[in-house]
Every structure is written in C-alpha cells, then in structure tokens.
Amino acid sequence: MARPRKKGFRDLPPNLIYDSYTGFYRYRHPETKKYKQMTKNKSKAVAAAKQLNSMLMTGQDLVAEVLGGGQRLKTFIPEVVLPFFEKKEKALAEKTLKAYRQQAGVIVDGLGHCKVSDVTVLQVDEFLRQFEQTPNTLNKYRGFLGQIFKLAMAKGLRADNPALATLKETVRKKRQRLTWDNYQTIFQAAPPWLQHAMTLSFITLQRVNEVARMQFTDVKVENMPHIGAVEFLYVIQQKTKKHGNAAFLKIEVNPELKQLITQCRDDIASPYLIHRRPSKMPRHEKRVSMKTKHHYTQVTPEYISKEFSKVRDELKLYENLDLNARPTFHEIRSLGIALKENQGHDAQALAGHTNRHMTDHYKQGHDVVQWTCVSLNKG
C-alpha cells in the first residue's frame, strides 16, 4: 500500500511528486517506475501529469468511467455550468446568457469529450487557436472557460484552472474616432428618427441600448427645495447596474434636452422617445413581430446601429477604412464625452462610469491639438 501523501501535496495528481530539495516537480512513469524531472511551475506540472496519466493509465481511466468519477464537459456544462449562471443571485442579462449558451455549444463541440478533471492547458490553448484571427472572440472564450473551470474547482473536480494558464490576447482597437464634422454630415443625411437617436446619445452620453429603451414616462417632474419644479430623465444603464449606483442616473432636463423630447413627440403614437412607423404595419398595434420589441414602433439597438452605419457608408466618409475600423453609433458617446470634457465639464457622472480611468479612455483620440504659430520672418 502506498504511503499517504503529506497534507500540502494531496491535491497533486497520481504519479506527480514535489522534490523539496531541488524545487522541481517530478513525474513517475506508471509502468517503468522511473522518475522524470519536469518543472518548478506547479500548474504546468499538474497539467502535464494529468495528460500523461490519461495516456498511460488507461485501466484506471476505465474504472473511473464505471464508478462515475470521470464527468465530461459535454455533460458538466449543460447540467452544472449553465444552470449555475441562470440562477445566480445577481441575475445576468438575457443577452449575456444567450452569449454563454452559444459559447457553451462551441466548447462542447470542441472539448466535450474531455473529462473535466483532465483537461490540460495544451488542450485549452489548441481549442482557442481557432479564434486567433479574432482576439476579442478568443478572449471571450478564454474568459468563459475560466469560469467553467473555476466552478469545477469549487465542486472539487480539479485543483487548477487550465484556461487562466493560457495567454490572453492583446486587442488593439482599430476603430477610428468619429469627428464632429463627420457627425454633422451623417446627421444631415439621416432620417428624423435617427437624428433624434444621435442627438439623444450625444446630449446624455448614453449607450445605444439606453437610447432605444428611453420612454416619455421616464421624464418626471420633481419639486426641488428653493428651486421649484424640475424635470429629470431617469436612466438605468443595464450594462453597468451590477457595479453600483453610478449606473442609476437622474439627468436634469436642460433646454436642449427639453427641445429634443418635444421634437420626439410626433404624429406616431409611441411610448418610446426613439420610434418609427415600420414599413409593414401589424394588423393590431399590440402585435409585435420581434421578441426583442415591446411595441411595434420601438426601434431596437441593433437597428439604430445598422442604420447609422448604412448612412455613414452611403456618404463614403470612411471608404478607405476596413468595416471594423469605421466609427459606429457608439462613437457618438465617445465624441460627446470628449467635447464636454474639453469645455471644462466632468463627464464621468453623466456617462455612468464608476472610475475616472474609463472616462479618460473614451476621450482618447479626441484630443484638441494646440497649434504653435511660427513666423518665417527673421527676428
């Protein structure tokens, strides 16, 4: 009978030992019983040992399968991971859950045959390499896999996280900033409802999701001490509300915003500030053709962004740039932040940023150049 391991090394997989004298981890071949020095890095040694065990200890692997000790990702993800996210105390947005389900399907297709306890860093890295041309996508899958294995560790199915041992890709932002002149050019060519959406985003510094969600009933009148009646536009930023009060905004309606809200009230009966009459009218107003819409006049965030890009491309303002480098509707928010900051206003609170670093990030690329006047005349 093998001697029990010391308490500090009980989490090591079979055949892996730590040599405290040299500081290296060593692996013992299960057949030849010979030791091979590996590395001083514990996570790498554990991952390598598990992979070697899966290749060399086939009999034990079959026993684990019979005894139920080898749960695979194809069952662990749908039976444990997805239900965990769906029942979290702080509920995730449906859009996030939808993305997780889609990513889960791809992971099951690529790594579903692997046992949760035996997935190696190498296997995760090889899976992620299929996304190396799209660093953003690679990082999203790496992050989701990191959460999967974090949950596996909490369940006692493994002692390490092979996803977080892989390298995170550096994403270089390619999208060009939107200039004030090009904003005005696009604005003049846009249909009225899109003009309203652009102005609303520019004035309030809100994302397209919030712009599409704003309703006339979100404007409320309050009696303020020593001031009197004041109108406020209430906004809840869905993306950042989990981070605290910074996402819950009560924006004072100034004359500029008041005029815009008045312009949004047209001959179309709609509860939403940004609305349009669809080309195909439903037989009854309560019928909605899309699950993401609550009223047939509502304009979805996706449609706002698509139509903005359509007008931008029709004007050929950025035809020399790749599609993913051209400024999107979201850049209106960035432009608005930069202009307010350059006028001496602090845009952090209005933008709903929890820290100053994020506001400064939005300003980058909009810096005002101070020209130095130089004379060619001597003296």
PDB file of all heavy atoms in Angstrom, residues 328-359:
ATOM      1  N   THR A 328     -18.681  53.610 -35.288  1.00  0.00           N
ATOM      2  CA  THR A 328     -20.059  53.144 -35.172  1.00  0.00           C
ATOM      3  C   THR A 328     -20.887  54.154 -34.375  1.00  0.00           C
ATOM      4  O   THR A 328     -20.373  55.184 -33.925  1.00  0.00           O
ATOM      5  CB  THR A 328     -20.095  51.785 -34.453  1.00  0.00           C
ATOM      6  OG1 THR A 328     -19.564  51.961 -33.123  1.00  0.00           O
ATOM      7  CG2 THR A 328     -19.251  50.763 -35.202  1.00  0.00           C
ATOM      8  N   PHE A 329     -22.160  53.831 -34.165  1.00  0.00           N
ATOM      9  CA  PHE A 329     -23.044  54.707 -33.391  1.00  0.00           C
ATOM     10  C   PHE A 329     -22.479  54.923 -31.984  1.00  0.00           C
ATOM     11  O   PHE A 329     -22.635  56.011 -31.411  1.00  0.00           O
ATOM     12  CB  PHE A 329     -24.443  54.085 -33.303  1.00  0.00           C
ATOM     13  CG  PHE A 329     -25.463  54.959 -32.626  1.00  0.00           C
ATOM     14  CD1 PHE A 329     -26.245  55.834 -33.362  1.00  0.00           C
ATOM     15  CD2 PHE A 329     -25.646  54.903 -31.250  1.00  0.00           C
ATOM     16  CE1 PHE A 329     -27.183  56.653 -32.740  1.00  0.00           C
ATOM     17  CE2 PHE A 329     -26.579  55.711 -30.616  1.00  0.00           C
ATOM     18  CZ  PHE A 329     -27.348  56.594 -31.368  1.00  0.00           C
ATOM     19  N   HIS A 330     -21.810  53.932 -31.443  1.00  0.00           N
ATOM     20  CA  HIS A 330     -21.258  54.031 -30.088  1.00  0.00           C
ATOM     21  C   HIS A 330     -20.244  55.164 -29.971  1.00  0.00           C
ATOM     22  O   HIS A 330     -20.027  55.706 -28.875  1.00  0.00           O
ATOM     23  CB  HIS A 330     -20.609  52.701 -29.689  1.00  0.00           C
ATOM     24  CG  HIS A 330     -20.176  52.655 -28.260  1.00  0.00           C
ATOM     25  ND1 HIS A 330     -21.067  52.567 -27.212  1.00  0.00           N
ATOM     26  CD2 HIS A 330     -18.935  52.697 -27.695  1.00  0.00           C
ATOM     27  CE1 HIS A 330     -20.411  52.550 -26.070  1.00  0.00           C
ATOM     28  NE2 HIS A 330     -19.107  52.620 -26.336  1.00  0.00           N
ATOM     29  N   GLU A 331     -19.612  55.523 -31.101  1.00  0.00           N
ATOM     30  CA  GLU A 331     -18.611  56.581 -31.069  1.00  0.00           C
ATOM     31  C   GLU A 331     -19.224  57.956 -30.806  1.00  0.00           C
ATOM     32  O   GLU A 331     -18.512  58.904 -30.491  1.00  0.00           O
ATOM     33  CB  GLU A 331     -17.822  56.593 -32.377  1.00  0.00           C
ATOM     34  CG  GLU A 331     -16.832  55.451 -32.514  1.00  0.00           C
ATOM     35  CD  GLU A 331     -15.771  55.470 -31.416  1.00  0.00           C
ATOM     36  OE1 GLU A 331     -15.307  56.570 -31.056  1.00  0.00           O
ATOM     37  OE2 GLU A 331     -15.442  54.389 -30.901  1.00  0.00           O
ATOM     38  N   ILE A 332     -20.558  58.077 -30.956  1.00  0.00           N
ATOM     39  CA  ILE A 332     -21.217  59.349 -30.628  1.00  0.00           C
ATOM     40  C   ILE A 332     -21.037  59.622 -29.140  1.00  0.00           C
ATOM     41  O   ILE A 332     -20.799  60.762 -28.720  1.00  0.00           O
ATOM     42  CB  ILE A 332     -22.716  59.296 -30.995  1.00  0.00           C
ATOM     43  CG1 ILE A 332     -22.876  59.126 -32.507  1.00  0.00           C
ATOM     44  CG2 ILE A 332     -23.433  60.553 -30.510  1.00  0.00           C
ATOM     45  CD1 ILE A 332     -24.319  58.939 -32.945  1.00  0.00           C
ATOM     46  N   ARG A 333     -21.166  58.597 -28.333  1.00  0.00           N
ATOM     47  CA  ARG A 333     -20.966  58.714 -26.880  1.00  0.00           C
ATOM     48  C   ARG A 333     -19.550  59.181 -26.572  1.00  0.00           C
ATOM     49  O   ARG A 333     -19.347  60.079 -25.749  1.00  0.00           O
ATOM     50  CB  ARG A 333     -21.264  57.356 -26.244  1.00  0.00           C
ATOM     51  CG  ARG A 333     -20.912  57.192 -24.768  1.00  0.00           C
ATOM     52  CD  ARG A 333     -21.408  55.817 -24.332  1.00  0.00           C
ATOM     53  NE  ARG A 333     -20.728  55.283 -23.171  1.00  0.00           N
ATOM     54  CZ  ARG A 333     -21.141  55.439 -21.923  1.00  0.00           C
ATOM     55  NH1 ARG A 333     -22.208  56.160 -21.675  1.00  0.00           N
ATOM     56  NH2 ARG A 333     -20.494  54.876 -20.921  1.00  0.00           N
ATOM     57  N   SER A 334     -18.588  58.601 -27.261  1.00  0.00           N
ATOM     58  CA  SER A 334     -17.189  58.987 -27.068  1.00  0.00           C
ATOM     59  C   SER A 334     -16.956  60.439 -27.475  1.00  0.00           C
ATOM     60  O   SER A 334     -16.280  61.194 -26.767  1.00  0.00           O
ATOM     61  CB  SER A 334     -16.288  58.051 -27.893  1.00  0.00           C
ATOM     62  OG  SER A 334     -14.950  58.493 -27.866  1.00  0.00           O
ATOM     63  N   LEU A 335     -17.537  60.838 -28.614  1.00  0.00           N
ATOM     64  CA  LEU A 335     -17.403  62.217 -29.092  1.00  0.00           C
ATOM     65  C   LEU A 335     -18.018  63.191 -28.091  1.00  0.00           C
ATOM     66  O   LEU A 335     -17.435  64.238 -27.775  1.00  0.00           O
ATOM     67  CB  LEU A 335     -18.073  62.360 -30.461  1.00  0.00           C
ATOM     68  CG  LEU A 335     -18.120  63.771 -31.069  1.00  0.00           C
ATOM     69  CD1 LEU A 335     -16.712  64.288 -31.344  1.00  0.00           C
ATOM     70  CD2 LEU A 335     -18.951  63.766 -32.350  1.00  0.00           C
ATOM     71  N   GLY A 336     -19.200  62.866 -27.591  1.00  0.00           N
ATOM     72  CA  GLY A 336     -19.868  63.729 -26.626  1.00  0.00           C
ATOM     73  C   GLY A 336     -19.063  63.897 -25.350  1.00  0.00           C
ATOM     74  O   GLY A 336     -18.957  64.999 -24.799  1.00  0.00           O
ATOM     75  N   ILE A 337     -18.468  62.791 -24.855  1.00  0.00           N
ATOM     76  CA  ILE A 337     -17.642  62.842 -23.654  1.00  0.00           C
ATOM     77  C   ILE A 337     -16.443  63.756 -23.871  1.00  0.00           C
ATOM     78  O   ILE A 337     -16.130  64.616 -23.031  1.00  0.00           O
ATOM     79  CB  ILE A 337     -17.181  61.428 -23.249  1.00  0.00           C
ATOM     80  CG1 ILE A 337     -18.365  60.613 -22.709  1.00  0.00           C
ATOM     81  CG2 ILE A 337     -16.063  61.487 -22.207  1.00  0.00           C
ATOM     82  CD1 ILE A 337     -18.046  59.160 -22.435  1.00  0.00           C
ATOM     83  N   ALA A 338     -15.790  63.585 -25.017  1.00  0.00           N
ATOM     84  CA  ALA A 338     -14.598  64.382 -25.305  1.00  0.00           C
ATOM     85  C   ALA A 338     -14.923  65.873 -25.398  1.00  0.00           C
ATOM     86  O   ALA A 338     -14.202  66.707 -24.846  1.00  0.00           O
ATOM     87  CB  ALA A 338     -13.961  63.904 -26.607  1.00  0.00           C
ATOM     88  N   LEU A 339     -15.999  66.229 -26.080  1.00  0.00           N
ATOM     89  CA  LEU A 339     -16.358  67.639 -26.239  1.00  0.00           C
ATOM     90  C   LEU A 339     -16.750  68.268 -24.904  1.00  0.00           C
ATOM     91  O   LEU A 339     -16.388  69.415 -24.618  1.00  0.00           O
ATOM     92  CB  LEU A 339     -17.487  67.788 -27.260  1.00  0.00           C
ATOM     93  CG  LEU A 339     -17.117  67.434 -28.708  1.00  0.00           C
ATOM     94  CD1 LEU A 339     -18.301  67.667 -29.638  1.00  0.00           C
ATOM     95  CD2 LEU A 339     -15.919  68.257 -29.184  1.00  0.00           C
ATOM     96  N   LYS A 340     -17.501  67.535 -24.073  1.00  0.00           N
ATOM     97  CA  LYS A 340     -17.873  68.071 -22.757  1.00  0.00           C
ATOM     98  C   LYS A 340     -16.640  68.290 -21.885  1.00  0.00           C
ATOM     99  O   LYS A 340     -16.527  69.295 -21.177  1.00  0.00           O
ATOM    100  CB  LYS A 340     -18.860  67.130 -22.065  1.00  0.00           C
ATOM    101  CG  LYS A 340     -20.278  67.190 -22.619  1.00  0.00           C
ATOM    102  CD  LYS A 340     -21.232  66.378 -21.787  1.00  0.00           C
ATOM    103  CE  LYS A 340     -22.642  66.399 -22.378  1.00  0.00           C
ATOM    104  NZ  LYS A 340     -23.232  67.753 -22.349  1.00  0.00           N
ATOM    105  N   GLU A 341     -15.725  67.329 -21.921  1.00  0.00           N
ATOM    106  CA  GLU A 341     -14.511  67.452 -21.127  1.00  0.00           C
ATOM    107  C   GLU A 341     -13.657  68.626 -21.615  1.00  0.00           C
ATOM    108  O   GLU A 341     -13.085  69.368 -20.808  1.00  0.00           O
ATOM    109  CB  GLU A 341     -13.709  66.149 -21.205  1.00  0.00           C
ATOM    110  CG  GLU A 341     -14.361  64.962 -20.513  1.00  0.00           C
ATOM    111  CD  GLU A 341     -14.022  64.883 -19.039  1.00  0.00           C
ATOM    112  OE1 GLU A 341     -12.894  65.280 -18.667  1.00  0.00           O
ATOM    113  OE2 GLU A 341     -14.868  64.423 -18.252  1.00  0.00           O
ATOM    114  N   ASN A 342     -13.586  68.804 -22.935  1.00  0.00           N
ATOM    115  CA  ASN A 342     -12.803  69.907 -23.484  1.00  0.00           C
ATOM    116  C   ASN A 342     -13.412  71.265 -23.168  1.00  0.00           C
ATOM    117  O   ASN A 342     -12.723  72.291 -23.185  1.00  0.00           O
ATOM    118  CB  ASN A 342     -12.659  69.752 -25.004  1.00  0.00           C
ATOM    119  CG  ASN A 342     -11.770  68.571 -25.380  1.00  0.00           C
ATOM    120  OD1 ASN A 342     -10.928  68.148 -24.593  1.00  0.00           O
ATOM    121  ND2 ASN A 342     -11.969  68.023 -26.567  1.00  0.00           N
ATOM    122  N   GLN A 343     -14.716  71.274 -22.869  1.00  0.00           N
ATOM    123  CA  GLN A 343     -15.383  72.516 -22.479  1.00  0.00           C
ATOM    124  C   GLN A 343     -15.290  72.774 -20.980  1.00  0.00           C
ATOM    125  O   GLN A 343     -15.849  73.733 -20.469  1.00  0.00           O
ATOM    126  CB  GLN A 343     -16.861  72.451 -22.893  1.00  0.00           C
ATOM    127  CG  GLN A 343     -17.073  72.474 -24.403  1.00  0.00           C
ATOM    128  CD  GLN A 343     -18.508  72.152 -24.800  1.00  0.00           C
ATOM    129  OE1 GLN A 343     -19.354  71.896 -23.944  1.00  0.00           O
ATOM    130  NE2 GLN A 343     -18.779  72.165 -26.102  1.00  0.00           N
ATOM    131  N   GLY A 344     -14.582  71.876 -20.283  1.00  0.00           N
ATOM    132  CA  GLY A 344     -14.377  72.071 -18.856  1.00  0.00           C
ATOM    133  C   GLY A 344     -15.360  71.354 -17.961  1.00  0.00           C
ATOM    134  O   GLY A 344     -15.345  71.539 -16.740  1.00  0.00           O
ATOM    135  N   HIS A 345     -16.244  70.518 -18.535  1.00  0.00           N
ATOM    136  CA  HIS A 345     -17.217  69.781 -17.737  1.00  0.00           C
ATOM    137  C   HIS A 345     -16.679  68.380 -17.409  1.00  0.00           C
ATOM    138  O   HIS A 345     -15.957  67.781 -18.203  1.00  0.00           O
ATOM    139  CB  HIS A 345     -18.544  69.646 -18.490  1.00  0.00           C
ATOM    140  CG  HIS A 345     -19.134  70.963 -18.900  1.00  0.00           C
ATOM    141  ND1 HIS A 345     -19.592  71.893 -17.996  1.00  0.00           N
ATOM    142  CD2 HIS A 345     -19.318  71.505 -20.128  1.00  0.00           C
ATOM    143  CE1 HIS A 345     -20.049  72.948 -18.638  1.00  0.00           C
ATOM    144  NE2 HIS A 345     -19.887  72.750 -19.943  1.00  0.00           N
ATOM    145  N   ASP A 346     -17.053  67.858 -16.251  1.00  0.00           N
ATOM    146  CA  ASP A 346     -16.683  66.491 -15.866  1.00  0.00           C
ATOM    147  C   ASP A 346     -17.779  65.553 -16.358  1.00  0.00           C
ATOM    148  O   ASP A 346     -18.915  65.585 -15.878  1.00  0.00           O
ATOM    149  CB  ASP A 346     -16.545  66.387 -14.353  1.00  0.00           C
ATOM    150  CG  ASP A 346     -16.008  65.023 -13.915  1.00  0.00           C
ATOM    151  OD1 ASP A 346     -15.920  64.120 -14.773  1.00  0.00           O
ATOM    152  OD2 ASP A 346     -15.690  64.868 -12.728  1.00  0.00           O
ATOM    153  N   ALA A 347     -17.453  64.713 -17.331  1.00  0.00           N
ATOM    154  CA  ALA A 347     -18.454  63.841 -17.960  1.00  0.00           C
ATOM    155  C   ALA A 347     -18.582  62.488 -17.289  1.00  0.00           C
ATOM    156  O   ALA A 347     -19.409  61.675 -17.697  1.00  0.00           O
ATOM    157  CB  ALA A 347     -18.112  63.650 -19.440  1.00  0.00           C
ATOM    158  N   GLN A 348     -17.790  62.220 -16.269  1.00  0.00           N
ATOM    159  CA  GLN A 348     -17.774  60.875 -15.662  1.00  0.00           C
ATOM    160  C   GLN A 348     -19.139  60.466 -15.110  1.00  0.00           C
ATOM    161  O   GLN A 348     -19.626  59.373 -15.378  1.00  0.00           O
ATOM    162  CB  GLN A 348     -16.731  60.813 -14.543  1.00  0.00           C
ATOM    163  CG  GLN A 348     -16.666  59.439 -13.868  1.00  0.00           C
ATOM    164  CD  GLN A 348     -15.618  59.376 -12.768  1.00  0.00           C
ATOM    165  OE1 GLN A 348     -14.691  60.185 -12.739  1.00  0.00           O
ATOM    166  NE2 GLN A 348     -15.768  58.437 -11.858  1.00  0.00           N
ATOM    167  N   ALA A 349     -19.779  61.352 -14.332  1.00  0.00           N
ATOM    168  CA  ALA A 349     -21.059  61.003 -13.705  1.00  0.00           C
ATOM    169  C   ALA A 349     -22.146  60.798 -14.749  1.00  0.00           C
ATOM    170  O   ALA A 349     -22.919  59.841 -14.684  1.00  0.00           O
ATOM    171  CB  ALA A 349     -21.472  62.095 -12.721  1.00  0.00           C
ATOM    172  N   LEU A 350     -22.218  61.699 -15.735  1.00  0.00           N
ATOM    173  CA  LEU A 350     -23.247  61.589 -16.766  1.00  0.00           C
ATOM    174  C   LEU A 350     -23.062  60.327 -17.607  1.00  0.00           C
ATOM    175  O   LEU A 350     -24.036  59.687 -18.010  1.00  0.00           O
ATOM    176  CB  LEU A 350     -23.225  62.829 -17.668  1.00  0.00           C
ATOM    177  CG  LEU A 350     -24.302  62.914 -18.758  1.00  0.00           C
ATOM    178  CD1 LEU A 350     -25.698  62.837 -18.149  1.00  0.00           C
ATOM    179  CD2 LEU A 350     -24.153  64.202 -19.558  1.00  0.00           C
ATOM    180  N   ALA A 351     -21.812  59.946 -17.852  1.00  0.00           N
ATOM    181  CA  ALA A 351     -21.540  58.742 -18.639  1.00  0.00           C
ATOM    182  C   ALA A 351     -21.802  57.470 -17.830  1.00  0.00           C
ATOM    183  O   ALA A 351     -21.896  56.375 -18.398  1.00  0.00           O
ATOM    184  CB  ALA A 351     -20.098  58.751 -19.130  1.00  0.00           C
ATOM    185  N   GLY A 352     -21.912  57.605 -16.505  1.00  0.00           N
ATOM    186  CA  GLY A 352     -22.174  56.439 -15.666  1.00  0.00           C
ATOM    187  C   GLY A 352     -20.942  55.611 -15.396  1.00  0.00           C
ATOM    188  O   GLY A 352     -21.047  54.421 -15.075  1.00  0.00           O
ATOM    189  N   HIS A 353     -19.757  56.224 -15.495  1.00  0.00           N
ATOM    190  CA  HIS A 353     -18.515  55.493 -15.259  1.00  0.00           C
ATOM    191  C   HIS A 353     -18.215  55.430 -13.764  1.00  0.00           C
ATOM    192  O   HIS A 353     -18.329  56.431 -13.059  1.00  0.00           O
ATOM    193  CB  HIS A 353     -17.344  56.176 -15.976  1.00  0.00           C
ATOM    194  CG  HIS A 353     -17.428  56.093 -17.467  1.00  0.00           C
ATOM    195  ND1 HIS A 353     -16.846  57.019 -18.310  1.00  0.00           N
ATOM    196  CD2 HIS A 353     -18.040  55.182 -18.270  1.00  0.00           C
ATOM    197  CE1 HIS A 353     -17.092  56.686 -19.566  1.00  0.00           C
ATOM    198  NE2 HIS A 353     -17.807  55.566 -19.562  1.00  0.00           N
ATOM    199  N   THR A 354     -17.818  54.259 -13.293  1.00  0.00           N
ATOM    200  CA  THR A 354     -17.508  54.085 -11.875  1.00  0.00           C
ATOM    201  C   THR A 354     -16.116  54.603 -11.533  1.00  0.00           C
ATOM    202  O   THR A 354     -15.806  54.802 -10.361  1.00  0.00           O
ATOM    203  CB  THR A 354     -17.600  52.601 -11.480  1.00  0.00           C
ATOM    204  OG1 THR A 354     -16.734  51.834 -12.340  1.00  0.00           O
ATOM    205  CG2 THR A 354     -19.031  52.093 -11.625  1.00  0.00           C
ATOM    206  N   ASN A 355     -15.269  54.807 -12.550  1.00  0.00           N
ATOM    207  CA  ASN A 355     -13.934  55.342 -12.282  1.00  0.00           C
ATOM    208  C   ASN A 355     -13.508  56.306 -13.379  1.00  0.00           C
ATOM    209  O   ASN A 355     -14.004  56.269 -14.510  1.00  0.00           O
ATOM    210  CB  ASN A 355     -12.902  54.208 -12.136  1.00  0.00           C
ATOM    211  CG  ASN A 355     -12.837  53.333 -13.386  1.00  0.00           C
ATOM    212  OD1 ASN A 355     -12.340  53.755 -14.426  1.00  0.00           O
ATOM    213  ND2 ASN A 355     -13.326  52.107 -13.273  1.00  0.00           N
ATOM    214  N   ARG A 356     -12.568  57.165 -13.048  1.00  0.00           N
ATOM    215  CA  ARG A 356     -12.106  58.207 -13.968  1.00  0.00           C
ATOM    216  C   ARG A 356     -11.337  57.618 -15.150  1.00  0.00           C
ATOM    217  O   ARG A 356     -11.347  58.168 -16.248  1.00  0.00           O
ATOM    218  CB  ARG A 356     -11.207  59.182 -13.186  1.00  0.00           C
ATOM    219  CG  ARG A 356     -10.692  60.352 -14.009  1.00  0.00           C
ATOM    220  CD  ARG A 356     -11.804  61.276 -14.434  1.00  0.00           C
ATOM    221  NE  ARG A 356     -11.442  62.002 -15.641  1.00  0.00           N
ATOM    222  CZ  ARG A 356     -12.233  62.868 -16.254  1.00  0.00           C
ATOM    223  NH1 ARG A 356     -13.440  63.099 -15.776  1.00  0.00           N
ATOM    224  NH2 ARG A 356     -11.846  63.478 -17.341  1.00  0.00           N
ATOM    225  N   HIS A 357     -10.713  56.483 -14.923  1.00  0.00           N
ATOM    226  CA  HIS A 357      -9.908  55.854 -15.975  1.00  0.00           C
ATOM    227  C   HIS A 357     -10.749  55.565 -17.221  1.00  0.00           C
ATOM    228  O   HIS A 357     -10.294  55.777 -18.349  1.00  0.00           O
ATOM    229  CB  HIS A 357      -9.290  54.553 -15.451  1.00  0.00           C
ATOM    230  CG  HIS A 357      -8.572  53.759 -16.500  1.00  0.00           C
ATOM    231  ND1 HIS A 357      -7.342  54.120 -17.013  1.00  0.00           N
ATOM    232  CD2 HIS A 357      -8.937  52.621 -17.170  1.00  0.00           C
ATOM    233  CE1 HIS A 357      -6.977  53.241 -17.932  1.00  0.00           C
ATOM    234  NE2 HIS A 357      -7.917  52.323 -18.045  1.00  0.00           N
ATOM    235  N   MET A 358     -11.989  55.093 -17.036  1.00  0.00           N
ATOM    236  CA  MET A 358     -12.844  54.771 -18.170  1.00  0.00           C
ATOM    237  C   MET A 358     -13.234  56.031 -18.944  1.00  0.00           C
ATOM    238  O   MET A 358     -13.272  56.027 -20.172  1.00  0.00           O
ATOM    239  CB  MET A 358     -14.098  54.033 -17.689  1.00  0.00           C
ATOM    240  CG  MET A 358     -15.023  53.593 -18.820  1.00  0.00           C
ATOM    241  SD  MET A 358     -14.201  52.526 -20.046  1.00  0.00           S
ATOM    242  CE  MET A 358     -13.908  51.061 -19.061  1.00  0.00           C
ATOM    243  N   THR A 359     -13.498  57.114 -18.242  1.00  0.00           N
ATOM    244  CA  THR A 359     -13.831  58.377 -18.916  1.00  0.00           C
ATOM    245  C   THR A 359     -12.655  58.860 -19.754  1.00  0.00           C
ATOM    246  O   THR A 359     -12.825  59.301 -20.893  1.00  0.00           O
ATOM    247  CB  THR A 359     -14.209  59.448 -17.882  1.00  0.00           C
ATOM    248  OG1 THR A 359     -15.225  58.934 -17.019  1.00  0.00           O
ATOM    249  CG2 THR A 359     -14.747  60.699 -18.563  1.00  0.00           C
TER     250      THR A 359
END
